[in-house]
Amino acid sequence: MPSPAQVPRRLSVLPFRGSAAVAEGLLSWTMLRSPAWIRLLPDVYVHRNGYRDGDHRMWCDAVALRLPPGAAIAGRSAAFLWGADLLGLDASTPGSSPPTFRTAGRGTRPPVTVLLPRAARLRPHPRVRPVRSVLPDTDRTRFAGLPVTTALRTAFDLGRQGPRVDALVAVEALLHRRVVKLPALRAYSAAHAGWPGAALLREVLALAEPLCESPMETRLRLLLLDAGLGPLTAQHDVHDARGRFVARVDLAWPALRVAVEYDGDHHRERAHFRQDVARLNALRAAGWLVVRFTADDVLRHPHATVALVRQALRERATR
């Protein structure tokens, strides 16, 4: 029978290298074989109380312990660390299928994306998605204690990866978090114009709107722009005839007083529903026509969504 595992305070929450813990005399290999410890990666363990299978930050912590010199967490994993959670992007993008890791009975878990210098080596693992590229020191930093691509490099990389809507969602999410500024990203893109995907990034940067507040709002906006219903204003402040603030709407054609709103799941809560009713009535009193959509409208019924907006604009234009 293995000896009962002790739990040193410094190893009670975060992943750690087993060999380092044994070398320091904190644990023995026999202890690490007990049910108190979970092996995440080769030589990387976490205490069972700190294990959360769907916690991407835990997996980033674990993978970082195995990275060779010069490598960094990158892509959507880096965006997650910078505060823009794009990990569920695949589920809301019909036809897109970047790699994911499926665990029995636990659903789909995205792997940790890492950027490796071309000569670096890393043992393959289903929880790790390696990407090889040039990675100068100026494009790497430490954030939240982990080696990660800078926010600028993260946005540059994600903005070059199709589909176009996903690239725009990623860039706008990082812009909205204010960890990247649009002029700096444009300058960086121009300085790396020969890189793969640069043409897509240029198109994304021409469309990018830092004021968009959610991935679905970005998708709705792009859907309407592609249908020829632009230009339109994001996050427009509506005032009544006396100049008093009424509401801020997601997307607007101010001259026509037409607004388009995306309603997420939180709008179904009772308190939110009451606020929405009062807000909608105030917008109508101010002379605005508001058309509201859900994720299902945008993702599964795009033609009907565009038709409703087009009809609203036509009604206002002919008044």
Side-chain angles (χ1 to χ4, degrees):
M1 292 288 293
S3 354
Q6 303 298 313
V7 187
R9 184 178 181 85
R10 57 185 286 195
L11 306 181
S12 61
V13 177
L14 297 177
F16 60 91
R17 291 292 292 261
S19 57
V22 171
E24 292 180 47
L26 299 173
L27 293 171
S28 68
W29 290 114
T30 301
M31 291 175 175
L32 282 173
R33 286 193 289 269
S34 81
W37 308 99
I38 295 174
R39 184 177 181 269
L40 301 176
L41 301 168
D43 196 34
V44 177
Y45 297 80
V46 70
H47 188 262
R48 64 186 177 193
N49 291 341
Y51 177 77
R52 297 166 301 280
D53 184 68
D55 184 352
H56 199 68
R57 172 57 197 264
M58 181 199 72
W59 285 104
C60 286
D61 286 331
V63 170
L65 293 170
R66 300 290 307 178
L67 289 183
I73 294 170
R76 294 182 191 175
S77 298
F80 175 82
L81 295 174
W82 287 111
D85 188 353
L86 306 169
L87 300 176
L89 208 56
D90 305 339
S92 57
T93 307
S96 69
S97 55
T100 55
F101 175 76
R102 184 172 294 277
T103 53
R106 295 180 183 272
T108 300
R109 307 299 188 199
V112 176
T113 300
V114 298
L115 202 55
L116 301 174
R118 298 193 185 280
R121 292 184 178 181
L122 183 66
R123 184 184 299 182
H125 192 277
R127 288 285 192 175
V128 183
R129 178 183 177 241
V131 177
R132 295 192 179 274
S133 176
V134 175
L135 183 57
D137 290 342
T138 52
D139 284 353
R140 288 188 296 115
T141 188
R142 292 195 72 84
F143 184 76
L146 302 177
V148 62
T149 52
T150 62
L152 187 61
R153 176 62 188 267
T154 302
F156 174 74
D157 286 342
L158 290 174
R160 295 183 293 123
Q161 299 173 19
R164 183 181 65 143
V165 63
D166 285 1
L168 182 61
V169 165
V171 167
E172 289 192 346
L174 288 162
L175 291 173
H176 184 68
R177 292 292 302 177
R178 299 184 180 180
V179 294
V180 178
K181 295 187 181 301
L182 190 53
L185 184 54
R186 284 175 173 156
Y188 188 97
S189 174
H192 298 77
W195 284 47
L200 172 60
L201 180 58
R202 286 193 294 273
E203 184 179 358
V204 165
L205 294 180
L207 293 166
E209 172 53 79
L211 294 177
C212 274
E213 294 186 340
S214 73
M216 284 307 306
E217 188 178 316
T218 295
R219 294 178 186 281
L220 177 55
R221 176 173 160 270
L222 183 60
L223 174 65
L224 299 176
L225 288 175
D226 284 346
L229 299 181
L232 64 165
T233 303
Q235 297 302 314
H236 178 71
D237 288 343
V238 175
H239 297 84
D240 64 16
R242 298 174 62 179
R244 295 174 300 187
F245 177 78
V246 175
R248 175 173 292 175
V249 295
D250 294 339
L251 303 169
W253 292 261
L256 297 176
R257 293 189 189 181
V258 173
V260 167
E261 296 267 76
Y262 168 70
D263 290 348
D265 289 342
H266 64 282
H267 286 270
R268 299 191 183 102
E269 299 170 2
R270 178 174 296 182
H272 242 294
F273 176 75
R274 290 173 178 170
Q275 292 172 2
D276 285 348
V277 170
R279 181 173 174 275
L280 186 59
N281 287 339
L283 285 165
R284 286 175 176 167
W288 280 72
L289 174 59
V290 181
V291 190
R292 303 170 69 181
F293 297 106
T294 65
D296 193 64
D297 296 318
V298 178
L299 297 174
R300 293 174 177 81
H301 307 288
H303 298 297
T305 297
V306 168
L308 285 171
V309 175
R310 196 185 303 278
Q311 180 182 352
L313 294 172
R314 188 181 298 118
E315 288 177 4
R316 282 305 175 94
T318 56
R319 283 180 57 178

